[in-house]
Amino acid sequence: MSGTDRCEAPASDTVLLAFDGRVLEVFGYVDDARYHVWEGPRLDFTTGRFRRLAITVRSGRRHSIPYDEQRLPALRALADRIARSVAEGRGPG
């Protein structure tokens, strides 16, 4: 992916997820976080009264973030792009 393929999706008014094809970054929720595709990040969503987006990596490390319901379609699109990059095996180097 080139720099023009950068994808951003806000989870709420105060949280932004950005993906450049190799690194998923989370800004604005407690601490900023970065997940390289090599770690196999996966996004899962819970719906209902307490909506949460969970980022889980192969090692089992997990990051959970609340999201606004109207932002779910863009977040799912971001999750699909990440899953494709993970499946392509983009790793370090």
Side-chain angles (χ1 to χ4, degrees):
M1 280 186 161
S2 69
T4 59
D5 291 329
R6 183 173 176 85
C7 179
E8 294 182 349
S12 68
D13 289 341
T14 59
V15 177
L16 175 70
L17 280 71
F19 182 64
D20 68 0
R22 293 179 52 131
V23 177
L24 170 63
E25 298 176 290
V26 181
F27 300 101
Y29 184 71
V30 184
D31 293 320
D32 298 336
R34 294 172 51 104
Y35 304 92
H36 195 281
V37 171
W38 175 74
E39 296 177 273
R42 182 184 76 240
L43 276 62
D44 297 302
F45 304 91
T46 59
T47 57
R49 186 171 173 202
F50 300 105
R51 293 173 303 278
R52 305 284 295 181
L53 173 159
I55 303 167
T56 308
V57 297
R58 286 187 190 108
S59 68
R61 184 171 56 127
R62 192 168 191 259
H63 190 152
S64 179
I65 307 162
Y67 69 89
D68 296 335
E69 185 175 20
Q70 71 273 18
R71 300 181 192 268
L72 185 57
L75 290 167
R76 286 196 187 278
L78 176 67
D80 290 343
R81 288 185 73 178
I82 294 166
R84 284 194 305 272
S85 289
V86 169
E88 290 172 5
R90 295 177 189 247

